[in-house]
Amino acid sequence: MTNMTEKKDIKKEFVSYLLLILGSALFAVGDVMFVNPYHLAPGGVYGLANVFNALWGWKISLAGICMDIPLLIIGTIILGPKFGIKTIVSVILIPVFTFILETTWGYAPLIHDGAFLDSAQHTALSFMDGETEVWFLPDMFLNTVVAGLIYGAAIGVIFRAGATSGGSDIISMIIHKYTKISLGTLVLIVDSCISLTTLIIGDIRLPIYSILLIYIESKIIDLVVDGMKSYKTMFIVTDEMEAVRDYIINDLERGGTLLMGTGLYQGNERKMIYVTLDRADMVKLKSNLHRLDPKAFVNIMESSEILGFGFKALPKE
């Protein structure tokens, strides 16, 4: 039994490192082929690296790793050893793949409306092809959507592998330690500030499209990490406890928890069912509640993640 468990753990680790390699490679593709040619900066260390590349021609991979490694060291000193080996591997793999693409592909956009050499048209963008500056007509919206999809898939896969991409997340975690601001709010603030640095390049569209990219990216990350399933948590206060209970157990074949409470207005003892269902079962229960108890009170809440028996397994360390 122990050998089987060990084999499963080895297989799981092998798959997680394959995901880490895939996510890092996808990130590099999104950055070099979609984000950088359009001078976008969707937050993070590589958002700043893209700005430095546009202003001074610094290689994205070099600028990225030169910021990531000090941040990892500072983060470890201030926050303790929070960053596992997979995050360190991710911090190394991303610039490696980025450097390979910079060297072989260059900074040419994959999506554009045609290339030309007349820089007089202010709607054009440019990239360096060796010693030659090549101008092209950008398709800003389509490129932003595709970049958001690729970035989101890449970071989502890295998260699924049990790693993070480091970077600005570490800055947010350090600020969070010394303030009462939530980590989610800090990540948004830090990434938005990085996106606003694109104003230095002189085009107001760039931070707007960068923030749109961040939004698309966040939705794809949630989709990759949590999957398509959507869960709802229902609190049902009812006097027809047995009828509602039987429907949940026998018709939906789900479990739940019975809670006892006291009404604030009259002080009467009330029974409340706490149950978490997927969207389809929630709709069935909601549509049948009027038949089971027309006077029932229901509160339905979105559940971003459900762990435990009957749902996603609790994670190991």
Side-chain angles (χ1 to χ4, degrees), residues 10-170:
I10 291 170
K11 184 179 178 182
K12 186 177 179 181
E13 280 298 295
F14 179 73
V15 171
S16 70
Y17 276 99
L18 282 180
L19 288 175
L20 193 54
I21 294 168
L22 174 63
S24 301
L26 267 178
F27 187 94
V29 168
D31 195 64
V32 175
M33 295 183 178
F34 297 91
V35 173
N36 177 268
Y38 280 71
H39 304 320
L40 301 175
V45 159
Y46 283 83
L48 275 178
N50 285 318
V51 174
F52 296 155
N53 175 267
L55 292 175
W56 303 305
W58 295 359
K59 277 194 173 294
I60 309 168
S61 52
L62 181 61
I65 200 165
C66 283
M67 288 185 281
D68 257 335
I69 290 177
L71 281 173
L72 271 176
I73 295 170
I74 294 168
T76 301
I77 293 170
I78 296 176
L79 303 171
K82 286 180 176 284
F83 311 106
I85 185 67
K86 289 178 183 175
T87 294
I88 296 171
V89 171
S90 172
V91 166
I92 295 170
L93 281 177
I94 289 174
V96 167
F97 283 121
T98 302
F99 177 79
I100 291 170
L101 278 175
E102 285 177 309
T103 305
T104 57
W105 175 269
Y107 300 111
L110 198 61
I111 295 175
H112 58 84
D113 284 342
F116 59 96
L117 296 175
D118 183 9
S119 62
Q121 299 190 34
H122 68 278
T123 57
L125 292 174
S126 67
F127 63 92
M128 294 303 297
D129 183 12
E131 298 295 323
T132 307
E133 188 173 19
V134 181
W135 292 81
F136 68 95
L137 283 171
D139 189 339
M140 297 294 294
F141 183 76
L142 179 60
N143 183 79
T144 300
V145 171
V146 175
L149 294 174
I150 294 174
Y151 251 41
I155 296 173
V157 168
I158 290 171
F159 285 170
R160 285 291 293 267
T164 71
S165 56
S168 61
D169 293 348
I170 300 173

Side-chain angles (χ1 to χ4, degrees), residues 175-310:
I175 299 172
H176 174 68
K177 181 177 180 179
Y178 298 105
T179 67
K180 294 182 179 180
I181 305 172
S182 73
L183 191 56
T185 301
L186 285 169
V187 169
L188 182 62
I189 291 170
V190 171
D191 282 348
S192 296
C193 288
I194 291 171
S195 294
L196 287 173
T197 61
T198 55
L199 285 171
I200 300 170
I201 301 172
D203 190 339
I204 197 170
R205 297 176 302 170
L206 300 182
I208 296 171
Y209 278 111
S210 295
I211 291 169
L212 175 60
L213 196 160
I214 291 171
Y215 177 78
I216 296 170
E217 170 194 332
S218 68
K219 295 301 179 183
I220 300 301
I221 290 171
D222 290 342
L223 188 62
V224 173
V225 173
D226 298 326
M228 293 289 291
K229 278 241 174 185
S230 175
Y231 292 104
K232 304 285 186 179
T233 295
M234 301 178 72
F235 291 92
I236 307 167
V237 180
T238 176
D239 292 325
E240 302 294 336
M241 181 59 60
E242 288 303 316
V244 178
R245 174 184 175 276
D246 287 345
Y247 182 82
I248 293 172
I249 293 174
N250 298 320
D251 291 74
L252 300 181
E253 297 181 345
R254 303 298 305 181
T257 303
L258 176 62
L259 306 173
M260 302 302 295
T262 303
L264 287 179
Y265 185 62
Q266 294 181 331
N268 296 331
E269 187 178 86
R270 305 297 302 273
K271 294 178 180 179
M272 180 169 65
I273 294 175
Y274 163 75
V275 61
T276 298
L277 305 167
D278 61 31
R279 188 183 298 276
D281 284 340
M282 181 274 296
V283 171
K284 291 177 186 175
L285 179 54
K286 189 170 67 171
S287 62
N288 278 278
L289 269 176
H290 188 270
R291 174 179 59 82
L292 299 169
D293 181 7
K295 296 181 180 179
F297 176 83
V298 187
N299 183 17
I300 303 174
M301 296 185 295
E302 190 78 37
S303 297
S304 61
E305 187 173 19
I306 308 297
L307 305 175
F309 181 74

